Amino acid sequence: MLLNAFKVATRDEELSKAVRSALLDALFASKMSLVIGMMIGAATASLIVIDCPSPWLIGCAILLTLAGLARVISFGMFRPGVTVNSKWEFIYHAGAWGYAALTGQLTFLTILLSDNIAHHLLAATLSTGYAAGAAGRNTGRPVIAVGQLLLCTLPFSLALVLRPSASNLLLAVSNVLFAL
């Protein structure tokens, strides 16, 4: 099957079942990186809320940890080689975007609610590190990869704009340009 080299993304209905099945298996293949990401996300969120116990940050930290745990459980339940199942595609897609959105939200809230620069650095590193890793792992599904990238980076950049300084504005613009 030849894919048009000038297309940015191929619609799912254009892919054969074998290709979709292989892509689905590949999405669920990186279990260890998912577990590591969940543990780092939970640890980062915990360190931030210990020093800055805002109800918003605590709620976001709990949701981030639960979303990460749900993704780990779903990876444990998935069995490679199953026929293409839109349920598993949806579970992966929703989990990927949900975790990315909560990572971006944690960064957004941390920058706005905490004056501790170490918290900002922890949250920003989590957000950009997760976005970069997710984009690399999910290149076979551009919609998922780009969605995760934007859900992590745009809240981070918006928070920097809402706390304006020369360095924050430069970082916000750089972050958006890298995401494009």
Side-chain angles (χ1 to χ4, degrees):
M1 172 171 106
L2 294 175
L3 296 177
N4 184 340
F6 298 104
K7 285 186 178 180
V8 174
T10 303
R11 283 189 240 103
D12 279 344
E13 58 266 20
E14 294 177 22
L15 298 174
S16 72
K17 284 188 178 187
V19 171
R20 285 183 66 202
S21 181
L23 283 172
L24 186 61
D25 289 352
L27 289 174
F28 280 95
S30 55
K31 290 180 180 124
M32 186 53 70
S33 65
L34 182 82
V35 171
I36 291 168
M38 186 271 300
M39 291 187 331
I40 291 171
T44 300
S46 297
L47 284 175
I48 291 168
V49 300
I50 286 170
D51 289 340
C52 185
S54 158
W56 292 101
L57 281 169
I58 292 169
C60 188
I62 290 169
L63 289 173
L64 179 73
T65 303
L66 291 175
L69 189 57
R71 291 194 77 204
V72 169
I73 290 169
S74 74
F75 270 54
M77 294 172 60
F78 177 78
R79 297 293 170 246
V82 298
T83 58
V84 175
N85 186 331
S86 59
K87 174 185 88 169
W88 283 109
E89 290 175 330
F90 176 79
I91 288 170
Y92 186 90
H93 195 137
W97 276 22
Y99 194 82
L102 288 165
T103 301
Q105 186 64 28
L106 180 72
T107 304
F108 177 83
L109 290 171
T110 300
I111 290 171
L112 293 182
L113 299 176
S114 174
D115 289 326
N116 186 330
I117 195 70
H119 293 163
H120 297 187
L121 182 60
L122 281 168
T125 301
L126 175 66
S127 192
T128 55
Y130 178 77
R137 276 188 307 280
N138 295 322
T139 56
R141 290 295 178 102
V143 170
I144 297 173
V146 171
Q148 287 179 290
L149 184 62
L150 294 176
L151 287 167
C152 286
T153 58
L154 292 180
F156 175 27
S157 295
L158 179 59
L160 292 169
V161 168
L162 293 174
R163 288 190 75 155
S165 70
S167 58
N168 279 4
L169 293 175
L170 175 62
L171 184 56
V173 169
S174 300
N175 199 28
V176 170
L177 291 175
F178 282 132
L180 299 177

